[in-house]
Amino acid sequence: MKKNVYVLYGGISAEHEVSIRSGKTIIQYLDRNKYDVHPIYINKKGVWHPLGITGPDIQEEDLVKSSDLSIADSIAAFLHTDYDSSLENVFFSVLHGTGGEDGTMQGFLKTLNVPFTGNSVLSSAVTMDKGITNRLLKANDISQAKFIVLDRWSLDSIEDIDTKEIIEKLGLPVYVKPCNAGSSVGITHVKKEEEFKEAFELAFKYDPRILLEEEVLGVEVELTVVGNKEIKASIPGSYMSQDQFLDYDDKYNNPNQIAEIPYPKDEETQNKLKKLAVKAYKACSCMGFARVDIFIRKGDGALLVNEINTLPGMTTISLAQRLWEQAYGLDYPAFIDMLIELAEEAHRERNSLVVDRS
Ligand SMILES: Nc1ncnc2c1ncn2[C@@H]1O[C@H](COP(=O)(O)OP(=O)(O)O)[C@@H](O)[C@H]1O
Ligand SMILES: [Mg+2]
């Protein structure tokens, strides 16, 4: 009997479109000899649209549906008609950002007691928040840019923020980011003191907590880290044009972005990066897989962790799988199989834990 793999894509976040592309890629590469593949499109309002069992060649326009159901009714209908808990099921979510990468979907799937790929409730929630992540990395002596976290609720007004003090601590330019956003949404590269106010207003639209960081000049590299108990990092890679702030369009809509794999070329730095990526992954209790982004600072070559993405892009131009393939020779279907095996291992572990006093 084949396993049922439910692929969740779309979702309520600003990364809805890229999630559809990630979903299409996973649906295309899941091995039909092993799995019955059930795409589930989640629209921007959070409504579930199960497509039933599909083949690998489904077109992007057929992956998007609409209906008038409420979220609750759509999930109830799915559980009632498309899902059988007595079968072997796995959920493969490629919902990036809010509602998918922040632990909420993981909590729902955990409640259903079904295996799901990727990170746990805890590691998803922790790494979704750039402020909490930075504090956790700091507590584990992991090097990163100097930073300040500001909380909207402890300020009477944005005017109260002491920008002189910020400049004293972080210098200029400063990156102002909402703690919880992704894909460069709500981020401003502040070059002059006068630009802070607008940057704060923008970032606070997305989250009542914001992160201010000193600018790191250098190159940002990415590593894929995989595992639950035994954890390994891929080789590092980088986008050629990455000495500048990449906005949403650069990241997802620019087909001319060329990845250099591996980057950097020298093995000593590659090994240091791998160690650092694994340390950061473990510090945040990550599971399944994640992409760890690290700056190599120009001048002194310092390695500074930027962030951990627990549900990185999975399109064919995304680096996550390509880095792994070049490091360990696993093609896309084998990479997906590995993530499903890790999901099942994590599920078995969860179910072996004692939760009551008997
Ligand atoms: N402290 C920093 N110094 C230099 N560049 C930064 C800094 N923080 C962010 N950036 C630039 O902005 C991009 C987006 O910021 P990031 O924190 O990675 O947010 P996102 O979750 O949107 O990917 C990074 O890829 C990098 O190019
Ligand atoms: Mg990033």
Side-chain angles (χ1 to χ4, degrees):
M1 187 100 174
K2 289 186 198 174
K3 273 178 203 161
N4 293 300
V5 180
Y6 292 92
V7 182
L8 298 169
Y9 61 95
I12 59 173
S13 84
E15 291 152 278
H16 182 91
E17 278 74 24
V18 70
S19 174
I20 294 171
R21 273 180 262 155
S22 293
K24 184 173 188 293
T25 311
I26 299 296
I27 291 161
Q28 181 185 340
Y29 284 110
L30 275 161
D31 183 349
R32 298 313 197 267
N33 294 315
K34 296 181 187 159
Y35 311 116
D36 279 333
V37 179
H38 304 247
I40 302 175
Y41 170 63
I42 299 185
N43 76 11
K44 285 189 175 174
K45 292 186 173 147
V47 178
W48 288 39
H49 301 274
L51 271 61
I53 298 174
T54 62
D57 303 324
I58 188 160
Q59 296 302 305
E60 198 163 321
E61 57 271 22
D62 295 325
L63 288 171
V64 177
K65 303 273 170 200
S66 65
S67 84
D68 301 328
L69 291 179
S70 68
I71 296 175
D73 287 345
S74 70
I75 295 174
F78 163 72
L79 292 174
H80 192 67
T81 55
D82 301 271
Y83 183 71
D84 180 347
S85 61
S86 69
L87 301 177
E88 257 195 286
N89 302 313
V90 178
F91 276 75
F92 200 121
S93 165
V94 287
L95 298 165
H96 309 304
T98 312
E101 199 166 346
D102 56 9
T104 52
M105 186 54 73
Q106 289 75 9
F108 176 68
L109 298 173
K110 193 174 168 185
T111 306
L112 289 181
N113 196 23
V114 62
F116 56 89
T117 56
N119 277 272
S120 64
V121 172
L122 176 72
S123 54
S124 303
V126 160
T127 52
M128 187 68 188
D129 187 297
K130 294 178 194 294
I132 300 282
T133 303
N134 274 19
R135 286 170 171 166
L136 203 51
L137 296 178
K138 194 172 178 183
N140 282 281
D141 289 325
I142 293 170
S143 49
Q144 61 193 308
K146 284 188 220 145
F147 69 95
I148 297 170
V149 178
L150 294 178
D151 180 347
R152 180 73 186 89
W153 309 127
S154 53
L155 299 163
D156 285 332
S157 115
I158 289 181
E159 317 288 335
D160 293 349
I161 302 172
D162 186 345
T163 50
K164 293 264 179 307
E165 201 181 308
I166 292 169
I167 295 171
E168 214 166 279
K169 185 158 177 211
L170 306 180
L172 271 175
V174 167
Y175 277 84
V176 176
K177 315 177 183 183
C179 278
N180 75 0
S183 290
S184 308
V185 178
I187 300 184
T188 311
H189 182 209
V190 172
K191 298 174 209 73
K192 289 189 250 144
E193 190 173 0
E194 308 83 84
E195 293 166 5
F196 271 117
K197 188 165 175 279
E198 213 173 301
F200 294 150
E201 279 167 354
L202 177 71
F204 278 132
K205 275 192 196 162
Y206 293 91
D207 196 339
R209 293 169 59 258
I210 64 172
L211 175 71
L212 319 182
E213 267 179 10
E214 69 169 332
E215 179 172 53
V216 180
L217 288 177
V219 181
E220 189 176 15
V221 300
E222 308 185 354
L223 293 98
T224 303
V225 183
V226 175
N228 295 335
K229 299 176 197 164
E230 209 186 295
I231 294 158
K232 284 202 294 194
S234 69
I235 47 176
S238 183
Y239 285 109
M240 298 292 284
S241 57
Q242 213 156 20
D243 53 356
Q244 277 200 355
F245 174 52
L246 288 183
D247 68 11
Y248 189 85
D249 273 343
D250 288 331
K251 275 189 185 165
Y252 297 117
N253 299 327
N254 182 352
N256 300 324
Q257 274 222 81
I258 303 164
E260 193 168 319
I261 309 173
Y263 184 92
K265 297 285 175 226
D266 81 283
E267 276 190 26
E268 199 187 328
T269 313
Q270 283 183 21
N271 288 334
K272 281 187 192 159
L273 285 162
K274 285 186 201 175
K275 264 196 178 157
L276 184 60
V278 169
K279 194 173 174 192
Y281 183 96
K282 285 185 177 170
C284 295
S285 301
C286 289
M287 306 214 11
F289 80 118
R291 202 192 72 217
V292 180
D293 297 348
I294 303 175
F295 292 119
I296 306 176
R297 191 161 56 194
K298 217 194 274 179
D300 65 357
L303 306 181
L304 306 169
V305 175
N306 176 32
E307 60 159 350
I308 300 176
N309 295 282
T310 52
L311 236 168
M314 299 286 288
T315 68
T316 41
I317 63 160
S318 313
L319 277 190
Q321 182 274 333
R322 291 164 63 198
L323 290 170
W324 199 261
E325 179 157 4
Q326 237 170 282
Y328 300 106
L330 287 192
D331 62 10
Y332 217 118
F335 184 72
I336 296 175
D337 284 350
M338 174 177 69
L339 299 183
I340 290 175
E341 279 161 27
L342 287 167
E344 291 169 334
E345 178 188 87
H347 179 70
R348 282 193 300 275
E349 288 285 322
R350 273 196 299 277
N351 281 301
S352 70
L353 297 174
V354 177
V355 289
D356 62 13
R357 289 200 290 160
S358 57

